[in-house]
Amino acid sequence: MGYFAGAKMLAKGLKFRNIIALALMAMLLLPSVGKAYPSGIAGPYDVNGDGSIDAENDLLDVAKEGCTCHNAIPTNSVQIILDDVPYSWVPGQSYTMILQLIGGPDLNTASNTGGFSMRASNGSFTGDMMTQNGEDDEKTLTHTQAGATTDDRKWTIVWDAPAEGGIGAIHFWITGNSVDGMNGNGGADVWNQLIFFLTESDEDSGLGTRTLFAGDGNVAPPEPTEQGVPIHEMGAHLRAHWLGLLGFLSVVLVIIFAGFMLRYGFSSSYEGRSNLLRLRYKVNRRGDQ
C-alpha cells in the first residue's frame, strides 16, 4: 500500500510540474510588453531595455511587427484610414497623404491620444511638427510628442518617391496606436496595422487618389471639439439678429399693404373712368350714323 501511495504522489507531482512548465512556455511565446513611447518610435525597439536589440526577444521594426508595448495583439476595432493614396508612384514625385485612427478609447485631449509608426521599402518621408523620422532613417516616420496629443488622431504624411525608376513596387507598413492618455501600457490602449504597396509608373495614371482602410468597418468618428458661442452669451449680436428679422418682416408687410391699396383703394376711380370711356364710345357711334 505504501508503494502505491508513493507512486500516486509522485505522479501528481510530475503532472503539476508539467503544467507549470507548459504555462511558462506559453508566457514566453507571447509577445513582450514593454515601455510606451509618446514621443514616437520607429525601427527597432528594445523591449527588455538592456541596451541591445535581440531578434528573439526584441522588435526589429515596430511598423512591421506592431506596437506590443501597449497591447500584445492587434484589433480591428481600431480603424486605420489612409487618404489621398496614389494608385502608383512616379519617380521624383512627392505625395501628401492623410493618416487617421478611428476607434479605441475615448479621446483625452488633455493627454496623449495616439500615435503611429510607418516604414517604406524605398523613398523618403518628410516630417513636420507632428511627425518625424525615426532614428535618422528617412524611410521611417512616427509621431512627435506634439503629434501624440492630437485631438483627432490625424497626421499628414509626406512621402517623396525615389528620384530614379527601375525599382518596381514599393511596400508600406503602418502600425497605428489608439491610447487612453493614462501614460501607461495595456489597459484600453489598442492598435492595428495597414500594409500595402504602390507599383511603379513612368507617368501619372490619371486615376487620382484613393483611400485605404484597415479595420472591421464599424466606424464611429470622434466627437468634434466644441466650438461656437452659446446663444445666451451672444449679447448685442443676438439683439441685432432679431432687429434684422423685424426689419425684414416690416418690409414684407409694407409690400402686402401696398398691394391691397393698389387692388382695392382706387377701384372706384378706375370704375368711373371706365364708364366715361363707354359713354364716349356710344357718342362716337351715334355720330357715325
Side-chain angles (χ1 to χ4, degrees):
M1 292 294 292
Y3 171 78
F4 288 109
K8 186 180 293 186
M9 291 180 63
L10 179 61
K12 288 183 178 180
L14 291 174
K15 185 176 181 181
F16 179 75
R17 291 174 186 172
N18 290 336
I19 293 174
I20 295 296
L22 290 174
L24 290 174
M25 290 178 63
M27 292 177 64
L28 290 173
L29 290 174
L30 287 174
S32 301
V33 177
K35 178 183 176 183
Y37 281 86
S39 59
I41 182 171
Y45 173 46
D46 182 9
V47 175
N48 297 325
D50 56 5
S52 62
I53 300 298
D54 181 359
E56 184 177 352
N57 299 314
D58 297 323
L59 297 176
L60 299 181
D61 197 323
V62 175
K64 293 182 178 181
E65 300 181 48
C67 194
T68 58
C69 56
H70 284 267
N71 226 314
I73 57 175
T75 172
N76 279 328
S77 63
V78 178
Q79 325 298 319
I80 299 182
I81 300 175
L82 187 63
D83 199 14
D84 296 332
V85 182
Y87 284 86
S88 59
W89 68 273
V90 178
Q93 294 294 317
S94 180
Y95 301 93
T96 300
M97 297 169 277
I98 303 298
L99 173 66
Q100 184 172 18
L101 305 180
I102 296 179
D106 294 334
L107 285 167
N108 181 4
T109 55
S111 184
N112 300 317
T113 59
F116 72 96
S117 181
M118 186 173 184
R119 174 177 288 278
S121 60
N122 215 317
S124 61
F125 291 105
T126 301
D128 54 22
M129 291 185 62
M130 308 292 284
T131 61
Q132 62 183 337
N133 298 118
E135 300 295 333
D136 297 325
D137 184 357
E138 292 185 344
K139 294 180 182 178
T140 65
L141 193 71
T142 185
H143 58 276
T144 61
Q145 181 69 58
T149 59
T150 173
D151 59 2
D152 53 7
R153 293 179 179 139
K154 182 186 293 185
W155 302 269
T156 299
I157 308 297
V158 179
W159 177 71
D160 298 319
E164 298 181 359
I167 298 174
I170 295 180
H171 296 260
F172 295 82
W173 297 265
I174 303 175
T175 292
N177 187 31
S178 181
V179 302
D180 56 10
M182 301 302 292
N183 297 322
N185 300 321
D189 298 351
V190 285
W191 57 276
N192 204 356
Q193 288 184 304
L194 173 64
I195 302 173
F196 67 99
F197 67 90
L198 298 177
T199 58
E200 183 179 349
S201 179
D202 294 333
E203 58 183 11
D204 188 8
S205 62
L207 297 175
T209 59
R210 53 185 169 153
T211 299
L212 300 182
F213 175 90
D216 58 13
N218 186 18
V219 177
E223 293 293 333
T225 304
E226 185 177 353
Q227 297 179 351
V229 179
I231 293 179
H232 65 276
E233 295 181 3
M234 292 183 68
H237 298 288
L238 181 60
R239 288 196 295 271
H241 172 74
W242 284 111
L243 288 174
L245 287 178
L246 290 175
F248 176 76
L249 291 176
S250 300
V251 172
V252 172
L253 291 175
V254 168
I255 293 174
I256 294 174
F257 177 76
F260 274 99
M261 289 293 293
L262 290 174
R263 176 64 181 83
Y264 300 105
F266 304 100
S267 59
S268 59
S269 299
Y270 290 144
E271 184 178 355
R273 187 174 181 182
S274 299
N275 293 334
L276 180 61
L277 290 174
R278 291 193 190 96
L279 179 60
R280 289 180 178 177
Y281 178 72
K282 291 180 179 180
V283 170
N284 290 334
R285 288 190 62 185
R286 290 176 182 175
D288 294 339
Q289 293 176 354

